[in-house]
Amino acid sequence: MPFAPKIAGLILSSELRMPDFSQRFLFDDSDIRGELVVLHESYQHVLAKHAYPQPVAQLLGELLAAAALLVDTLKFDGLLVLQARSAGAVPLLMVECSSDGDLRAIARYHAEQIGAAAGLPELMPEGVLAMTIDPQNGQRYQGIVSLDGATLADCLSSYFASSEQLPTRFWLCADGQRARGLLLQQLPADRLKDPEAREASWQHVATLAGTLKTEELLGLDNPTLLHRLYHEEPLRLFEPRALQFRCSCSRERSANALVSLGQADAELLLREHAGSVVIDCQFCNQRYAFDAADVAQLFAGGGSEAPSDTRH
Ligand SMILES: [Zn+2]
């Protein structure tokens, strides 16, 4: 009984209340876990801040879904930053996802170099993806993923296959409206101790996921999608976890950035910019303006205190 109707109904009603969420599932008869990510509003917020060409919007959506999947997989409190760089048409994609489910993202691109149907190899040739885990407590970790696959999902899957991490496979897609992701991960041997049976079950589950069409991943709700793939495998689908767009910028952080320049440079900036230094947040387009009186106040009495008002 993989899908007791009562449980499926409960989860469906949660889905309706929550536009963006991640949701775990666990196979009962093998040591494999999975995760699904559904992004709609947060993805729309990201796209509303900048007019990205469709191929850039798609890549950024895939990276958003990847970040949300990874945050749940890595189990830490803090911030995950995915930063993809290349010398091609898309020099930068950046996504941040906190362990609280706060997402923000930005892309830089050269419009004249973007073709209509360009994928990852065309847009980010010889690219690399830096994956930084910045925990609230403990050491920062960075992994480097080479972007030499046909898709972002392929690149992440081969990174996990070649690293010492648990085997993990990714499926990602985005269409400018919604972004979705699926992850499968092999857990340490517990239910299936025989290495051959373990490998066979992993291959079976991954092969079935590989049959998923883009329109199915984009269009189906999670219970339907899992039923279509795994109706013969008993599995449990857990409660969804909310994800949302939220920018971590603030007037105080912008003020701290000015203070870190030092008084002389901050005053030089003021003179160069007609008496008002404006700091724009690239993630959410919020503007923070500081005039001569603000700057003087920042550096008065040691200069560590930022004014708490929010003038724009
Ligand atoms: Zn912001």
Side-chain angles (χ1 to χ4, degrees):
M1 283 285 286
F3 291 99
K6 204 170 73 187
I7 295 175
L10 179 74
I11 285 158
L12 271 176
S13 65
S14 304
E15 277 194 24
L16 290 176
R17 289 198 307 272
M18 221 183 267
D20 295 27
F21 60 95
S22 63
Q23 199 168 16
R24 296 176 184 205
F25 58 95
L26 191 63
F27 291 90
D28 284 339
D29 297 338
S30 58
D31 302 309
I32 299 171
R33 64 178 285 272
E35 179 99 25
L36 283 155
V37 160
V38 178
L39 298 176
H40 180 60
E41 280 186 3
S42 54
Y43 185 33
Q44 290 308 307
H45 271 290
V46 165
L47 298 185
K49 308 297 177 195
H50 303 276
Y52 296 119
Q54 181 71 7
V56 179
Q58 284 182 10
L59 264 190
L60 197 56
E62 290 179 16
L63 198 65
L64 275 163
L69 288 172
L70 284 165
V71 154
D72 267 6
T73 307
L74 297 167
K75 292 190 192 119
F76 71 108
D77 285 332
L79 192 67
L80 171 78
V81 183
L82 297 182
Q83 207 173 89
R85 291 186 178 276
S86 84
V90 179
L92 175 75
L93 294 175
M94 187 173 169
V95 172
E96 291 183 7
C97 186
S98 76
S99 47
D100 293 331
D102 292 344
L103 284 158
R104 63 177 194 168
I106 192 170
R108 283 195 229 292
Y109 61 94
H110 302 301
E112 71 285 359
Q113 293 176 27
I114 308 245
L120 181 68
E122 296 80 31
L123 295 174
M124 304 194 82
E126 293 167 48
V128 287
L129 172 66
M131 188 165 72
T132 308
I133 297 158
D134 207 348
Q136 276 159 13
N137 301 304
Q139 278 220 306
R140 210 173 137 111
Y141 165 87
Q142 194 172 65
I144 302 287
V145 182
S146 171
L147 294 179
D148 51 6
T151 64
L152 193 59
D154 289 348
C155 298
L156 284 169
S157 298
S158 21
Y159 169 78
F160 275 84
S162 63
S163 71
E164 286 167 24
Q165 326 252 4
L166 295 164
T168 308
R169 295 276 305 271
F170 293 80
W171 289 265
L172 304 166
C173 57
D175 66 355
Q177 292 298 315
R178 63 191 66 199
R180 300 282 310 253
L182 163 65
L183 169 148
L184 291 173
Q185 185 168 61
Q186 207 166 31
L187 298 170
D190 177 28
R191 295 181 178 88
L192 283 179
K193 300 265 195 303
D194 173 49
E196 266 181 41
R198 189 173 151 76
E199 180 59 20
S201 86
W202 172 246
Q203 290 304 335
H204 174 66
V205 165
T207 302
L208 287 174
T211 65
L212 200 61
K213 296 187 184 76
T214 302
E215 53 270 29
E216 289 176 306
L217 186 50
L218 280 175
L220 297 178
D221 63 66
N222 288 349
T224 309
L225 190 148
L226 289 174
H227 184 71
R228 195 167 285 191
L229 288 178
Y230 301 122
H231 54 274
E232 288 175 357
E233 321 284 330
L235 64 77
R236 271 170 294 156
L237 183 59
F238 293 90
E239 278 291 300
R241 216 175 137 264
L243 296 160
Q244 58 281 323
F245 177 86
R246 188 167 292 149
C247 193
S248 51
C249 72
S250 66
R251 183 167 175 85
E252 191 182 349
R253 282 187 175 201
S254 302
N256 288 340
L258 269 183
V259 167
S260 70
L261 289 177
Q263 189 160 8
D265 282 354
E267 285 170 355
L268 181 66
L269 270 181
L270 265 182
R271 286 197 295 278
E272 284 174 355
H273 294 89
S276 175
V277 182
V278 175
I279 298 178
D280 286 314
C281 174
Q282 298 172 335
F283 288 95
C284 73
N285 295 347
Q286 181 69 265
R287 309 200 105 187
Y288 299 99
F290 299 86
D291 61 17
D294 293 329
V295 172
Q297 194 187 342
L298 285 178
F299 289 98
S304 61
E305 251 176 78
S308 59
D309 67 321
T310 50
R311 266 181 286 162
H312 307 305

